[in-house]
Amino acid sequence: MPTLANKDACQLLDADHIAVKYLFVEYARLAAAAASPNGRGPDRKVIAMKICDELTVHARIEEEIFYPALQGALPDASDLLEEAQAEHQQVKVMIAQLQAMGTADVSMDALVAELNRAIEHHVKEERDELFPKAKAARGLDLDALGVQMRERQQALEKDPAAAAA
Ligand SMILES: [Fe+2]
Ligand SMILES: [Fe+2]
């Protein structure tokens, strides 16, 4: 297993995809507990906001570093990359709606579930279509890209306002 520090670009993004999936599962667990008779449970809004923050940073490093590198190395990936960027835009609208919500309730549960479905679809395309192309591309140094993306990710995690800008 690669350590955190030496993941290549695809491994780094995959690790993010898995981490956010765990958060969606945790949110659903808390929502189900709250919906049960007399259920209260801890506030799941904290998890929803963590999902928003992690997806925001993830989308930034893809848009700033990964997608442009792919665009440069793989001219025939243009359609895939355009579709991916359009999906990012849809996700950003949902994130903004979630961040504007008050306490966690059934409408937040519904929106988190919708976001989960959108992310599942998007991640599947990245994993099944973009990553294999990236791995096969000549002249694309996924190790160096991984280092660059990790550094940017760490900087953005320390400065959430910059990540959302
Ligand atoms: Fe993406
Ligand atoms: Fe991604």
Side-chain angles (χ1 to χ4, degrees), residues 13-14 16-17 58-59 62 67 88 122-123 126 131:
L13 293 173
D14 250 339
D16 276 3
H17 293 158
H58 181 85
E62 287 185 345
Y67 291 175
H88 278 203
H122 180 73
V123 163
E126 290 188 338
F131 291 179

Side-chain angles (χ1 to χ4, degrees), residues 120-141:
E120 274 181 351
H121 167 85
H122 180 73
V123 163
K124 186 168 166 32
E125 284 180 349
E126 290 188 338
R127 197 180 285 151
D128 294 351
E129 297 183 50
L130 273 184
F131 291 179
K133 277 185 188 291
K135 286 172 193 165
R138 283 162 188 259
L140 197 58
D141 186 342

Side-chain angles (χ1 to χ4, degrees), residues 30-31 33-44:
L30 294 176
S36 68
N38 306 319
R40 285 179 52 113
D43 186 0
R44 57 206 185 272

